[in-house]
Structures are given as C-alpha cells and as structure tokens.
Amino acid sequence: MRLSYPTNIKIVKVPCTGRVDIIHILKAFEGGADGVCLVGCLEGDCHYLRGNLRARKRVEHVKLLLEESGIGKERVAMHNLSSAQGQRFAEIAREMTEKIRALGPNPARKTG
Amino acid sequence: MIVANRKPFEEIIEMLKPYSKILLLGCNECVTVCATGGAKEVSVLASEIRLFRQKEGQPVEIKELTLERNCDTEYVESLKPAINDYEVAISMACGCGIQFVGEHYRDKLVLPAVDTTFYGVAEEQGVWTERCQGCGACVLDKTLGICPVTRCAKSIFNGPCGGSQGGKCEVNKETPCAWQLIVDRYKEMNMLEKYLEIQPMKNWSTSRDGGPRKRVREDLKL
C-alpha cells in the first residue's frame, strides 16, 4: 500500500492520544503550526480504555481556548482510525491540509 | 479547598493591555487541586495570552512562576529576584494569595486572573461544590454534618422553608434542600428527636458580619 499524503504534515508520535495535553496543542500553534489534527484509535478500542475519549474532550476544550485567543477553533480536529485504515488516514491528511490552506496561515505565526 | 474560576479571557487581556513584560503567578495549593491556577493552568493561560498578543502584533514576554503557597511570607519572598524584571504581575492564586503578594511588593500591581468563589470539595473528577462559609461557629454537630449556613440558600437554622419541594431548593431545582438532607440524616442515624430542638438565633458576629477576622497563636510567634 504505497499511499501518499501531503508532505507539509509533521507526525508527532505519542503512545496514546490520551497523552496529548491541552498545552501540547497550544504549543504547536505557538511554534507556528497552521493546524493540529489528533488521530486516535477507534472509540471503544483504546488499549488504555479511555485515552481517546479523554483526548476528544481536550480537543473540544482547546477549541474554546483557540476561539478566545483569536486563532480559531477550525484549526484543530480529531479523528478516530484503526491501524488498518491507512487509506482513510491519507484522505484525512489531504482534507485537513486543504481545509487549513483555505483558512490561511496561523495568525499568531512569528514573522522574520 | 478554596475553589476559584478563571476570569473570562477578554477581561484578562484588557487588564494586561498596557504591559509587555508580565509575571504570571500560580499556586501549588487549592487552585491546583481545583484545576484553576496551578502550574498547568498557568502554562495554558500564558500560551493563550502569547498567541493572542502575537496575533495582534503586540508580543509579550511572560514569566510563568508557580509558588508552593501564595499565602505564606516565606514563599512570597522568593519572588524577590524575579518580580522586579516585570512590569506587572497577574496571579491565578486565590484572592488571599493575590492580595498577599501585592502587600509584599508595594511598587507592583498584582492583578487577578481568577474569581475566587467558595470553600468546597471535589464531588467527582471535574466537579466542585460548596461546603463551608467559614462562619466562625460550627454547628455540624447539631445538624449531623450538613451545614445549613452554606447549603441552605437562606442559611436558616430551623428549616426547611416553604421553598423546599421534593427535596430540592426553590433557588435551583438541582440543588438539594439542606434541611431535607438534615432531616434524612436524623432519620438515618435514629436521632429524629434532635429535629425538635429549636435553634436560637445565630450570633453572626463570628462570621463576616463581625468584620475581617484574625487568629493569633502566641506560642508560635517568633
């Protein structure tokens, strides 16, 4: 399965999406990311039982914080996939890239 | 613990408008436990402020500092080397901590980033409820562990009032009637005869009504 997805996506590996904290997502935006997408296991299939469910709640909370700070909630998303869904991962990566490209660059990105 | 809520972001941003070098303080005690102003919440608020100000083209430098306690001189004094490097301090500690830091550094403004709300408990993960108002004269022995001062909206001592319906308070249908809880507890403990005792008027001078309170233990003073 030689699938391709946009090269501008940087993958950060974590043992479980439950490891991803609110501050990690905010730091990505501070570091100049234009968008952040969490990809967790399918709901109900978490090896740690509730990691992906907790991540989803955090993503919802981060959306509020991003709205407050003027970055915009559309720049963060969460998807649930199994490791057998490479095809869907590539699709999501393309969709997310297109969506973020339409929104334009991160308004808090440092210039120069 | 003392429970607080973070102030609305717009309010915080407005307070910080004139400043570009900010000291953001947290506290390792109550506000950490109620997930409002510990090191984690300090880092999230700092990040949010930096993002907002960067977007507005007015970048800020923020120093994040979480003290063990903001209500004890020995910890507050540890701010000395840092505080003068910043134009202003904004604190996520409770109202006591915010004031105490300000009292120690008279030439600095210490702004509040939280609204301090009540003394409470963590009923479950992410849910805090009020239990005590610090009235200065505890009656929990008479009411078998349910505080009528705090948990009854009217703080009445011979309840319930006419607003108690189906065990709930008229103020909010999700709030249990404190006096219903007390009567249920009397029954549970086989002490219903205690309900017949009429409580005299409470002397509120030990509470806030008597003005700010002070406690001194001579044996501990240096």
Side-chain angles (χ1 to χ4, degrees):
Chain A
M1 210 193 291
R2 295 269 173 202
L3 298 169
S4 65
Y5 58 87
T7 51
N8 56 313
I9 287 186
K10 178 170 168 54
I11 305 275
V12 180
K13 292 180 188 170
V14 285
C16 169
T17 45
R19 177 66 187 90
V20 181
D21 200 278
I22 289 160
I23 190 65
H24 299 138
I25 301 175
L26 291 177
K27 287 278 183 196
F29 285 103
E30 276 201 74
D34 298 316
V36 173
C37 181
L38 260 73
V39 182
C41 298
L42 294 171
E43 290 190 0
D45 277 357
C46 177
H47 179 71
Y48 304 101
L49 306 177
R50 287 176 304 170
N52 50 2
L53 302 177
R54 302 194 71 183
R56 182 168 290 280
K57 282 189 175 181
R58 289 180 195 147
V59 166
E60 290 309 311
H61 186 68
V62 166
K63 284 183 178 178
L64 298 176
L65 304 182
L66 290 174
E67 273 302 282
E68 284 179 342
S69 52
I71 304 301
K73 63 180 180 191
E74 310 80 14
R75 292 183 183 273
V76 65
M78 174 147 187
H79 292 278
N80 297 89
L81 298 176
S82 84
S83 55
Q85 288 179 286
Q87 189 92 36
R88 180 71 189 128
F89 175 83
E91 255 173 50
I92 286 170
R94 279 193 293 273
E95 284 165 16
M96 186 78 187
T97 305
E98 279 162 28
K99 184 178 153 192
I100 301 298
R101 192 162 281 149
L103 288 171
N106 170 357
R109 184 188 281 180
K110 289 175 187 143
T111 47
Chain B
M1 80 190 86
I2 295 176
V3 179
N5 291 322
R6 202 193 77 180
K7 277 186 175 291
F9 188 66
E10 315 82 74
E11 208 179 312
I12 294 172
I13 281 295
E14 192 57 33
M15 281 191 275
L16 295 176
K17 217 173 188 172
Y19 309 105
S20 56
K21 283 190 86 177
I22 299 161
L23 178 64
L24 177 51
L25 293 171
C27 183
N28 263 340
E29 295 282 350
C30 312
V31 287
T32 293
V33 186
C34 73
T36 303
K40 206 166 182 175
E41 292 75 27
V42 162
S43 68
V44 168
L45 179 60
S47 180
E48 251 194 291
I49 296 169
R50 279 192 296 263
L51 282 169
F52 181 87
R53 293 283 293 260
Q54 185 68 34
K55 177 187 149 273
E56 298 292 297
Q58 298 157 337
V60 277
E61 182 190 333
I62 301 178
K63 166 87 173 165
E64 301 166 26
L65 224 161
T66 300
L67 296 181
E68 201 52 43
R69 278 197 288 283
N70 282 244
C71 52
D72 250 333
T73 300
E74 63 178 301
Y75 299 109
V76 172
E77 279 183 345
S78 70
L79 285 173
K80 216 170 209 165
I83 200 161
N84 284 326
D85 293 339
Y86 296 89
E87 297 167 311
V88 72
I90 183 160
S91 173
M92 302 192 87
C94 71
C96 309
I98 298 167
Q99 291 181 62
F100 208 46
V101 172
E103 286 167 32
H104 278 77
Y105 303 98
R106 311 274 312 171
D107 56 343
K108 282 278 175 271
L109 275 183
V110 183
L111 306 170
V114 302
D115 294 316
T116 305
T117 47
F118 55 82
Y119 309 151
V121 297
E123 248 180 38
E124 58 180 278
Q125 173 90 355
V127 179
W128 295 270
T129 51
E130 189 168 14
R131 285 292 186 282
C132 180
Q133 286 196 6
C135 75
C138 191
V139 294
L140 289 174
D141 57 323
K142 295 186 178 69
T143 55
L144 307 195
I146 295 142
C147 176
V149 176
T150 313
R151 302 187 68 184
C152 168
K154 292 175 177 169
S155 297
I156 56 174
F157 275 73
N158 296 285
C161 73
S164 173
Q165 297 228 338
K168 302 291 178 192
C169 175
E170 65 182 337
V171 166
N172 181 335
K173 60 177 187 292
E174 283 181 20
T175 304
C177 164
W179 274 97
Q180 182 68 56
L181 295 177
I182 294 168
V183 170
D184 291 347
R185 184 80 180 128
Y186 284 145
K187 284 186 197 160
E188 193 178 57
M189 297 303 286
N190 258 333
M191 293 167 83
L192 198 55
E193 72 283 354
K194 267 183 105 68
Y195 186 42
L196 298 175
E197 293 171 16
I198 303 293
Q199 298 302 323
M201 275 193 295
K202 185 174 167 64
N203 176 0
W204 289 101
S205 67
T206 57
S207 185
R208 279 284 310 134
D209 309 61
R213 290 159 285 177
K214 184 175 184 173
R215 175 172 183 255
V216 179
R217 250 188 77 175
E218 288 297 341
D219 60 317
L220 291 178
K221 286 172 78 175
L222 297 175

